[in-house]
Amino acid sequence: MCRSCAAPTGPNELSAGAGRPLQWLSRRGLLAGLGLGALTVGLSAGTSAAGEAGAGAAAEAAVAVAAARNGAWAGPAQGRFPAGGHYGAPRGGGSHAGQDVSNSTGTAVYAAAAGTVIRRSWGGGLPGRTGNGLVISHGGGQYTYYGHLSAYRVGLNATVSAGQRIADMGATGNVTGPHLHFETHTGALGTTVNPVSFLAARGVDLAGGWSRIDPGASGATVVVIQHLMNQRGYGLVVDGAYGSVSADAVKRFQRSKGLVADGQVGPATWPVLVYTLRQGGSGSHVRALQTALNRRSAGLVVDGGFGSVTTSAVRTYQSVNRLVVDGEAGPVTWRALTG
């Protein structure tokens, strides 16, 4: 768990890494942003605490409403939530700025969404943070921070995709043990919101559960869904677009399994859609597996054949995510891959 990773109590000017200074953050504005949700920085001295809390809750609710479960986001790491490592926990004169995810040193850390690495330094260049850190800009005023890393796997200014491996979990800085300190910033770098609810609104369970993908989504996870549906005989065009044809097919599949036919591929649908796969298998479900592994930086040829190369990729993925290393793609491995 982080011993620090809190907002400082004095004013600091943050930069998004491209020479664009952000607003000065007062102690009041920064603590409100870190502990209560997304607040506009630079609150006037006369603003009441109740008003700050209400504004923070309203801003965070607005962020959630505007979000979409569209497959653009991914879980940054596998692990558990340690006691006291939650967003807003007391940290001296401030509040814990993110959510901790504990696992052993060397556990893979992935980009939560596509973007550009704008910070790669001790503390990620953010005040109050310690250890090796990365900041990724996702555009639209959204940023993610990854702290206490044991190793970097991408360079400064690198362009990354959602789910790409960017670092290794570690215990650098002021910590009690190895973990990922993960933050989400919205509106400006330095204005944090709760990472658990932020990702949940985008279909990602930071605690490691199945993802939720809604009609209208696009990208690699939709390709995975389409391949799995085709293995079940639905004959979809694999184009990565979760349009009306794919959504109608998923609804038919859900009805056939006695599920709510809402078209959302989530915790109820994923477990009955995926297959347990091992070396020697072939087909569209293997293509789905290879696509999901490639989203996590495996670099496989998507040929539908579960040979030795795919087996090695499965074992590597299981190893770096501290799963049982058996080379078999069962529900636990699928859940991690598609999360």
Side-chain angles (χ1 to χ4, degrees), residues 35-330:
L36 298 173
L39 288 179
T40 302
V41 294
L43 294 170
S44 66
T47 302
S48 69
E52 291 173 8
E60 192 161 354
V63 169
V65 169
R69 298 180 179 93
N70 61 6
W73 291 78
Q78 294 293 308
R80 63 179 181 83
F81 288 174
H86 57 279
Y87 178 76
R91 287 293 184 276
S95 299
H96 194 223
Q99 173 65 53
D100 292 342
V101 181
S102 293
N103 215 321
S104 56
T105 295
T107 299
V109 175
Y110 302 97
T116 302
V117 178
I118 62 169
R119 301 282 184 82
R120 183 181 182 272
S121 62
W122 189 261
L126 294 174
R129 279 69 162 184
T130 65
N132 297 324
L134 286 170
V135 175
I136 298 177
S137 171
H138 305 290
Q142 294 179 337
Y143 305 85
T144 50
Y145 170 71
Y146 312 76
H148 305 308
L149 308 173
S150 63
Y152 299 116
R153 292 185 176 267
V154 290
L156 184 64
N157 300 320
T159 300
V160 299
S161 57
Q164 178 180 336
R165 189 174 182 182
I166 57 172
D168 294 355
M169 192 179 293
T172 56
N174 192 12
V175 299
T176 59
H179 68 278
L180 170 68
H181 173 80
F182 177 70
E183 299 178 15
T184 48
H185 299 232
T186 186
L189 183 58
T191 305
T192 66
V193 292
N194 189 329
V196 176
S197 55
F198 180 91
L199 287 184
R202 289 155 179 79
V204 177
D205 184 348
L206 186 54
W210 293 97
S211 63
R212 297 175 186 268
I213 305 297
D214 284 339
S218 62
T221 305
V222 176
V223 172
V224 171
I225 293 169
Q226 290 170 328
H227 279 311
L228 289 169
M229 290 292 293
N230 284 348
Q231 184 65 28
R232 296 186 179 277
Y234 284 86
L236 298 175
V237 174
V238 181
D239 58 4
Y242 195 10
S244 59
V245 175
S246 292
D248 287 345
V250 168
K251 290 176 184 177
R252 295 200 305 273
F253 172 75
Q254 290 171 324
R255 282 192 289 269
S256 75
K257 299 297 182 182
L259 305 175
V260 175
D262 58 3
Q264 183 187 90
V265 181
T269 300
W270 277 117
V272 295
L273 181 60
V274 300
Y275 292 78
T276 296
L277 298 170
R278 58 187 62 86
Q279 187 165 337
S282 64
S284 290
H285 49 357
V286 177
R287 291 187 178 89
L289 174 64
Q290 291 166 331
T291 301
L293 286 164
N294 284 349
R295 186 171 183 251
R296 300 295 187 173
S297 303
L300 297 171
V301 174
V302 180
D303 59 5
F306 199 142
S308 60
V309 176
T310 298
T311 299
S312 178
V314 171
R315 293 179 66 87
T316 296
Y317 178 79
Q318 292 169 330
S319 176
V320 300
N321 287 282
R322 306 311 184 239
L323 307 176
V324 174
V325 182
D326 57 7
E328 179 178 284

